[in-house]
Amino acid sequence: MTDDQSRKNYLRARKEQHRTGRIGWLRAAVLGANDGIVSTASLVVGVAAADATHANIMIAGVAGLVAGAMSMAAGEYVSVSSQADTEKADLDLERKELEADGESELLELTGIYVERGLDEPLARQVAEQLTRHDALAAHARDELGISEKMPPRPGQAALASASAFTAGAALPLLAAFLTPIAMIAVVVSVLSLGFLALLGSVSAYVGGAPIAKAVARVSFWGALAMTATAGIGKLFGVVA
Ligand SMILES: [Zn+2]
């Protein structure tokens, strides 16, 4: 391999790393928006199928938006907080172990580097230098897999999730608001499937995943959800 080729490969590898770094928040945002579109569109289509008034459809849609956004925020807050608690407990334990038995911890770190492919003397040397530099950071990173560069932020994660859901939910809601009642079920279904497909293709493009597959996947699940609620709406609309 020429120098030029290996440099290109190196740069490509770096670019891929960037991609995976971006995937985390992107996936959360897309997931939130997807949820917002699917659940609100399904709600609107279901209520519309039950022959509700335009005002009732809008009330159901807005209530669905608020309930969904709150539930996303609460779920995200709880999940990220408990992750943060676990990481903090792990770090506290590690700190105690480092104070109590430095030599065992040095052996442990050496073992980790040997497992990753360094030979014993070099692994020992690396472990000693990193321990001198910042023992807790070295154990956190290489033993526990905790990166201190990105501490979990429950409040921020909750806000991001709720915003993404709201942005997604606003699309079918706006469509329902602007459409005459007789057309609501059809217009909201078609537009929402379009939004889902667009969102799926953008996220697949940014994440470097196959686009057609992503579009087919979100469209299928979206269509299934709306068909199910439309069926239920029709059923109860007839009974009531
Ligand atoms: Zn350790």
Side-chain angles (χ1 to χ4, degrees):
M1 202 187 290
T2 67
D3 269 7
D4 197 44
Q5 265 177 322
S6 63
R7 190 160 40 238
K8 265 187 202 143
N9 282 345
Y10 168 74
L11 287 175
R12 191 174 308 136
R14 281 197 56 117
K15 211 166 148 198
E16 299 309 325
Q17 273 180 355
H18 271 289
R19 251 181 194 175
T20 34
R22 199 163 42 181
I23 277 303
W25 68 260
L26 179 75
R27 182 178 292 139
V30 167
L31 226 61
N34 252 331
D35 270 12
I37 295 172
V38 172
S39 71
T40 309
S42 303
L43 200 56
V44 164
V45 169
V47 177
D51 288 332
T53 65
H54 205 160
N56 284 341
I57 294 171
M58 291 312 295
I59 290 169
V62 171
L65 182 152
V66 174
M70 294 303 291
S71 131
M72 292 286 283
E76 196 66 17
Y77 192 91
V78 168
S79 137
V80 175
S81 301
S82 71
Q83 187 201 337
D85 288 348
T86 308
E87 287 186 2
K88 194 184 169 302
D90 275 346
L91 283 176
D92 288 345
L93 187 66
E94 198 62 39
R95 196 176 289 116
K96 277 196 199 111
E97 283 173 0
L98 280 167
E99 277 165 17
D101 193 356
E103 183 52 31
S104 299
E105 288 299 310
L106 192 59
L107 283 176
E108 186 184 44
L109 205 55
T110 305
I112 289 168
Y113 298 137
V114 168
E115 232 168 70
R116 288 189 190 170
L118 301 187
D119 56 40
E120 180 83 39
L122 182 57
R124 174 82 188 187
Q125 210 184 341
V126 170
E128 278 171 353
Q129 284 202 17
L130 287 177
T131 299
R132 231 174 293 136
H133 175 66
D134 186 344
L136 186 62
H139 281 263
R141 189 180 55 235
D142 294 329
E143 183 191 342
L144 305 171
I146 298 173
S147 111
E148 285 185 293
K149 266 179 258 165
M150 279 191 288
R153 294 196 181 87
Q156 199 179 334
L159 192 68
S161 253
S163 311
F165 183 95
T166 304
L171 298 170
L173 212 52
L174 193 66
F177 181 69
L178 296 174
T179 308
I181 184 148
M183 301 287 293
I184 281 185
V186 175
V187 170
V188 168
S189 308
V190 171
L191 277 182
S192 298
L193 285 177
F195 292 139
L196 285 173
L198 189 69
L199 198 61
S201 58
V202 169
S203 78
Y205 176 76
V206 176
I211 291 173
K213 224 170 156 182
V215 170
R217 202 157 40 207
V218 290
S219 306
F220 171 77
W221 287 107
L224 189 69
M226 283 179 251
T227 310
T229 54
I232 289 169
K234 268 263 182 295
L235 201 67
F236 283 89
V238 169
V239 170

PDB file of all heavy atoms in Angstrom, residues 4-24:
ATOM      1  N   ASP A   4       0.124   7.332   0.114  1.00  0.00           N
ATOM      2  CA  ASP A   4      -1.074   8.099  -0.227  1.00  0.00           C
ATOM      3  C   ASP A   4      -2.337   7.298   0.079  1.00  0.00           C
ATOM      4  O   ASP A   4      -3.293   7.812   0.666  1.00  0.00           O
ATOM      5  CB  ASP A   4      -1.023   8.472  -1.710  1.00  0.00           C
ATOM      6  CG  ASP A   4      -2.005   9.589  -2.022  1.00  0.00           C
ATOM      7  OD1 ASP A   4      -2.064  10.554  -1.228  1.00  0.00           O
ATOM      8  OD2 ASP A   4      -2.713   9.474  -3.031  1.00  0.00           O
ATOM      9  N   GLN A   5      -2.299   6.000  -0.314  1.00  0.00           N
ATOM     10  CA  GLN A   5      -3.450   5.127  -0.059  1.00  0.00           C
ATOM     11  C   GLN A   5      -3.714   4.987   1.433  1.00  0.00           C
ATOM     12  O   GLN A   5      -4.853   5.071   1.881  1.00  0.00           O
ATOM     13  CB  GLN A   5      -3.185   3.744  -0.642  1.00  0.00           C
ATOM     14  CG  GLN A   5      -3.767   3.569  -2.036  1.00  0.00           C
ATOM     15  CD  GLN A   5      -3.417   2.208  -2.589  1.00  0.00           C
ATOM     16  OE1 GLN A   5      -2.304   1.716  -2.371  1.00  0.00           O
ATOM     17  NE2 GLN A   5      -4.350   1.595  -3.267  1.00  0.00           N
ATOM     18  N   SER A   6      -2.657   4.754   2.186  1.00  0.00           N
ATOM     19  CA  SER A   6      -2.876   4.517   3.616  1.00  0.00           C
ATOM     20  C   SER A   6      -3.364   5.796   4.291  1.00  0.00           C
ATOM     21  O   SER A   6      -4.161   5.740   5.219  1.00  0.00           O
ATOM     22  CB  SER A   6      -1.609   3.987   4.279  1.00  0.00           C
ATOM     23  OG  SER A   6      -0.587   4.949   4.201  1.00  0.00           O
ATOM     24  N   ARG A   7      -2.924   6.954   3.776  1.00  0.00           N
ATOM     25  CA  ARG A   7      -3.419   8.199   4.353  1.00  0.00           C
ATOM     26  C   ARG A   7      -4.921   8.343   4.071  1.00  0.00           C
ATOM     27  O   ARG A   7      -5.703   8.731   4.911  1.00  0.00           O
ATOM     28  CB  ARG A   7      -2.660   9.400   3.789  1.00  0.00           C
ATOM     29  CG  ARG A   7      -2.992  10.681   4.557  1.00  0.00           C
ATOM     30  CD  ARG A   7      -1.933  11.765   4.379  1.00  0.00           C
ATOM     31  NE  ARG A   7      -1.409  11.858   3.041  1.00  0.00           N
ATOM     32  CZ  ARG A   7      -0.112  11.730   2.715  1.00  0.00           C
ATOM     33  NH1 ARG A   7       0.772  11.487   3.638  1.00  0.00           N
ATOM     34  NH2 ARG A   7       0.283  11.842   1.479  1.00  0.00           N
ATOM     35  N   LYS A   8      -5.291   7.973   2.832  1.00  0.00           N
ATOM     36  CA  LYS A   8      -6.712   8.039   2.471  1.00  0.00           C
ATOM     37  C   LYS A   8      -7.549   7.118   3.365  1.00  0.00           C
ATOM     38  O   LYS A   8      -8.611   7.486   3.832  1.00  0.00           O
ATOM     39  CB  LYS A   8      -6.904   7.637   1.005  1.00  0.00           C
ATOM     40  CG  LYS A   8      -6.939   8.841   0.081  1.00  0.00           C
ATOM     41  CD  LYS A   8      -7.301   8.411  -1.330  1.00  0.00           C
ATOM     42  CE  LYS A   8      -6.833   9.438  -2.350  1.00  0.00           C
ATOM     43  NZ  LYS A   8      -6.356   8.814  -3.585  1.00  0.00           N
ATOM     44  N   ASN A   9      -7.016   5.890   3.561  1.00  0.00           N
ATOM     45  CA  ASN A   9      -7.742   4.943   4.417  1.00  0.00           C
ATOM     46  C   ASN A   9      -7.891   5.477   5.826  1.00  0.00           C
ATOM     47  O   ASN A   9      -8.944   5.347   6.448  1.00  0.00           O
ATOM     48  CB  ASN A   9      -7.007   3.595   4.467  1.00  0.00           C
ATOM     49  CG  ASN A   9      -7.251   2.791   3.211  1.00  0.00           C
ATOM     50  OD1 ASN A   9      -8.164   3.107   2.453  1.00  0.00           O
ATOM     51  ND2 ASN A   9      -6.446   1.775   2.996  1.00  0.00           N
ATOM     52  N   TYR A  10      -6.825   6.110   6.295  1.00  0.00           N
ATOM     53  CA  TYR A  10      -6.855   6.655   7.646  1.00  0.00           C
ATOM     54  C   TYR A  10      -7.930   7.744   7.751  1.00  0.00           C
ATOM     55  O   TYR A  10      -8.738   7.769   8.669  1.00  0.00           O
ATOM     56  CB  TYR A  10      -5.479   7.222   8.003  1.00  0.00           C
ATOM     57  CG  TYR A  10      -5.475   8.042   9.250  1.00  0.00           C
ATOM     58  CD1 TYR A  10      -5.574   7.415  10.495  1.00  0.00           C
ATOM     59  CD2 TYR A  10      -5.400   9.432   9.212  1.00  0.00           C
ATOM     60  CE1 TYR A  10      -5.587   8.163  11.651  1.00  0.00           C
ATOM     61  CE2 TYR A  10      -5.412  10.183  10.359  1.00  0.00           C
ATOM     62  CZ  TYR A  10      -5.506   9.547  11.583  1.00  0.00           C
ATOM     63  OH  TYR A  10      -5.528  10.286  12.728  1.00  0.00           O
ATOM     64  N   LEU A  11      -7.940   8.622   6.740  1.00  0.00           N
ATOM     65  CA  LEU A  11      -8.928   9.712   6.758  1.00  0.00           C
ATOM     66  C   LEU A  11     -10.343   9.162   6.676  1.00  0.00           C
ATOM     67  O   LEU A  11     -11.250   9.660   7.333  1.00  0.00           O
ATOM     68  CB  LEU A  11      -8.671  10.676   5.597  1.00  0.00           C
ATOM     69  CG  LEU A  11      -7.444  11.560   5.773  1.00  0.00           C
ATOM     70  CD1 LEU A  11      -7.187  12.399   4.544  1.00  0.00           C
ATOM     71  CD2 LEU A  11      -7.595  12.465   6.990  1.00  0.00           C
ATOM     72  N   ARG A  12     -10.513   8.118   5.854  1.00  0.00           N
ATOM     73  CA  ARG A  12     -11.841   7.528   5.740  1.00  0.00           C
ATOM     74  C   ARG A  12     -12.274   6.958   7.093  1.00  0.00           C
ATOM     75  O   ARG A  12     -13.396   7.144   7.530  1.00  0.00           O
ATOM     76  CB  ARG A  12     -11.860   6.442   4.671  1.00  0.00           C
ATOM     77  CG  ARG A  12     -13.277   5.994   4.339  1.00  0.00           C
ATOM     78  CD  ARG A  12     -13.298   5.017   3.169  1.00  0.00           C
ATOM     79  NE  ARG A  12     -12.590   5.514   2.011  1.00  0.00           N
ATOM     80  CZ  ARG A  12     -11.750   4.772   1.281  1.00  0.00           C
ATOM     81  NH1 ARG A  12     -11.518   3.526   1.585  1.00  0.00           N
ATOM     82  NH2 ARG A  12     -11.143   5.293   0.247  1.00  0.00           N
ATOM     83  N   ALA A  13     -11.352   6.273   7.759  1.00  0.00           N
ATOM     84  CA  ALA A  13     -11.661   5.679   9.066  1.00  0.00           C
ATOM     85  C   ALA A  13     -12.069   6.772  10.047  1.00  0.00           C
ATOM     86  O   ALA A  13     -13.002   6.618  10.823  1.00  0.00           O
ATOM     87  CB  ALA A  13     -10.460   4.903   9.594  1.00  0.00           C
ATOM     88  N   ARG A  14     -11.360   7.910   9.982  1.00  0.00           N
ATOM     89  CA  ARG A  14     -11.700   9.010  10.897  1.00  0.00           C
ATOM     90  C   ARG A  14     -13.099   9.531  10.616  1.00  0.00           C
ATOM     91  O   ARG A  14     -13.848   9.863  11.515  1.00  0.00           O
ATOM     92  CB  ARG A  14     -10.701  10.153  10.732  1.00  0.00           C
ATOM     93  CG  ARG A  14      -9.407   9.897  11.442  1.00  0.00           C
ATOM     94  CD  ARG A  14      -8.678  11.194  11.590  1.00  0.00           C
ATOM     95  NE  ARG A  14      -9.513  12.165  12.271  1.00  0.00           N
ATOM     96  CZ  ARG A  14      -9.219  12.699  13.433  1.00  0.00           C
ATOM     97  NH1 ARG A  14      -8.122  12.334  14.041  1.00  0.00           N
ATOM     98  NH2 ARG A  14     -10.006  13.579  13.976  1.00  0.00           N
ATOM     99  N   LYS A  15     -13.441   9.618   9.331  1.00  0.00           N
ATOM    100  CA  LYS A  15     -14.753  10.111   8.933  1.00  0.00           C
ATOM    101  C   LYS A  15     -15.855   9.179   9.460  1.00  0.00           C
ATOM    102  O   LYS A  15     -16.874   9.627   9.953  1.00  0.00           O
ATOM    103  CB  LYS A  15     -14.814  10.190   7.409  1.00  0.00           C
ATOM    104  CG  LYS A  15     -15.717  11.293   6.915  1.00  0.00           C
ATOM    105  CD  LYS A  15     -15.452  11.529   5.438  1.00  0.00           C
ATOM    106  CE  LYS A  15     -16.675  11.970   4.711  1.00  0.00           C
ATOM    107  NZ  LYS A  15     -16.534  11.794   3.271  1.00  0.00           N
ATOM    108  N   GLU A  16     -15.606   7.872   9.340  1.00  0.00           N
ATOM    109  CA  GLU A  16     -16.588   6.898   9.836  1.00  0.00           C
ATOM    110  C   GLU A  16     -16.812   7.100  11.333  1.00  0.00           C
ATOM    111  O   GLU A  16     -17.927   7.031  11.813  1.00  0.00           O
ATOM    112  CB  GLU A  16     -16.112   5.459   9.591  1.00  0.00           C
ATOM    113  CG  GLU A  16     -15.908   5.092   8.128  1.00  0.00           C
ATOM    114  CD  GLU A  16     -17.092   5.421   7.257  1.00  0.00           C
ATOM    115  OE1 GLU A  16     -18.229   5.298   7.744  1.00  0.00           O
ATOM    116  OE2 GLU A  16     -16.888   5.840   6.104  1.00  0.00           O
ATOM    117  N   GLN A  17     -15.710   7.350  12.055  1.00  0.00           N
ATOM    118  CA  GLN A  17     -15.842   7.567  13.499  1.00  0.00           C
ATOM    119  C   GLN A  17     -16.766   8.744  13.780  1.00  0.00           C
ATOM    120  O   GLN A  17     -17.609   8.688  14.643  1.00  0.00           O
ATOM    121  CB  GLN A  17     -14.479   7.863  14.109  1.00  0.00           C
ATOM    122  CG  GLN A  17     -13.720   6.613  14.498  1.00  0.00           C
ATOM    123  CD  GLN A  17     -12.387   6.944  15.098  1.00  0.00           C
ATOM    124  OE1 GLN A  17     -11.983   8.103  15.141  1.00  0.00           O
ATOM    125  NE2 GLN A  17     -11.688   5.935  15.559  1.00  0.00           N
ATOM    126  N   HIS A  18     -16.562   9.813  12.991  1.00  0.00           N
ATOM    127  CA  HIS A  18     -17.413  10.983  13.167  1.00  0.00           C
ATOM    128  C   HIS A  18     -18.877  10.630  12.986  1.00  0.00           C
ATOM    129  O   HIS A  18     -19.723  11.093  13.698  1.00  0.00           O
ATOM    130  CB  HIS A  18     -17.030  12.060  12.154  1.00  0.00           C
ATOM    131  CG  HIS A  18     -15.968  12.960  12.665  1.00  0.00           C
ATOM    132  ND1 HIS A  18     -16.199  13.871  13.640  1.00  0.00           N
ATOM    133  CD2 HIS A  18     -14.657  13.059  12.370  1.00  0.00           C
ATOM    134  CE1 HIS A  18     -15.080  14.510  13.928  1.00  0.00           C
ATOM    135  NE2 HIS A  18     -14.118  14.031  13.170  1.00  0.00           N
ATOM    136  N   ARG A  19     -19.095   9.782  11.981  1.00  0.00           N
ATOM    137  CA  ARG A  19     -20.461   9.356  11.709  1.00  0.00           C
ATOM    138  C   ARG A  19     -21.093   8.691  12.920  1.00  0.00           C
ATOM    139  O   ARG A  19     -22.191   9.027  13.305  1.00  0.00           O
ATOM    140  CB  ARG A  19     -20.469   8.380  10.546  1.00  0.00           C
ATOM    141  CG  ARG A  19     -21.058   9.028   9.358  1.00  0.00           C
ATOM    142  CD  ARG A  19     -21.119   8.125   8.200  1.00  0.00           C
ATOM    143  NE  ARG A  19     -21.379   8.966   7.045  1.00  0.00           N
ATOM    144  CZ  ARG A  19     -21.407   8.551   5.814  1.00  0.00           C
ATOM    145  NH1 ARG A  19     -21.163   7.291   5.560  1.00  0.00           N
ATOM    146  NH2 ARG A  19     -21.659   9.371   4.848  1.00  0.00           N
ATOM    147  N   THR A  20     -20.385   7.739  13.529  1.00  0.00           N
ATOM    148  CA  THR A  20     -20.989   7.039  14.663  1.00  0.00           C
ATOM    149  C   THR A  20     -21.205   8.000  15.827  1.00  0.00           C
ATOM    150  O   THR A  20     -22.140   7.841  16.582  1.00  0.00           O
ATOM    151  CB  THR A  20     -20.144   5.837  15.132  1.00  0.00           C
ATOM    152  OG1 THR A  20     -18.794   6.162  14.939  1.00  0.00           O
ATOM    153  CG2 THR A  20     -20.515   4.582  14.389  1.00  0.00           C
ATOM    154  N   GLY A  21     -20.348   9.016  15.949  1.00  0.00           N
ATOM    155  CA  GLY A  21     -20.521  10.006  17.011  1.00  0.00           C
ATOM    156  C   GLY A  21     -21.812  10.793  16.830  1.00  0.00           C
ATOM    157  O   GLY A  21     -22.499  11.102  17.775  1.00  0.00           O
ATOM    158  N   ARG A  22     -22.141  11.066  15.547  1.00  0.00           N
ATOM    159  CA  ARG A  22     -23.304  11.870  15.251  1.00  0.00           C
ATOM    160  C   ARG A  22     -24.587  11.042  15.349  1.00  0.00           C
ATOM    161  O   ARG A  22     -25.657  11.567  15.536  1.00  0.00           O
ATOM    162  CB  ARG A  22     -23.146  12.389  13.820  1.00  0.00           C
ATOM    163  CG  ARG A  22     -23.983  13.559  13.495  1.00  0.00           C
ATOM    164  CD  ARG A  22     -23.460  14.232  12.248  1.00  0.00           C
ATOM    165  NE  ARG A  22     -23.071  13.279  11.225  1.00  0.00           N
ATOM    166  CZ  ARG A  22     -22.563  13.632  10.037  1.00  0.00           C
ATOM    167  NH1 ARG A  22     -22.360  14.871   9.763  1.00  0.00           N
ATOM    168  NH2 ARG A  22     -22.251  12.721   9.151  1.00  0.00           N
ATOM    169  N   ILE A  23     -24.450   9.717  15.209  1.00  0.00           N
ATOM    170  CA  ILE A  23     -25.605   8.829  15.154  1.00  0.00           C
ATOM    171  C   ILE A  23     -26.424   8.885  16.441  1.00  0.00           C
ATOM    172  O   ILE A  23     -27.637   8.782  16.398  1.00  0.00           O
ATOM    173  CB  ILE A  23     -25.122   7.376  14.875  1.00  0.00           C
ATOM    174  CG1 ILE A  23     -24.904   7.194  13.386  1.00  0.00           C
ATOM    175  CG2 ILE A  23     -26.079   6.351  15.403  1.00  0.00           C
ATOM    176  CD1 ILE A  23     -26.058   7.479  12.510  1.00  0.00           C
ATOM    177  N   GLY A  24     -25.763   9.080  17.591  1.00  0.00           N
ATOM    178  CA  GLY A  24     -26.460   9.051  18.874  1.00  0.00           C
ATOM    179  C   GLY A  24     -27.609  10.035  18.955  1.00  0.00           C
ATOM    180  O   GLY A  24     -28.757   9.624  19.110  1.00  0.00           O
TER     181      GLY A  24
END
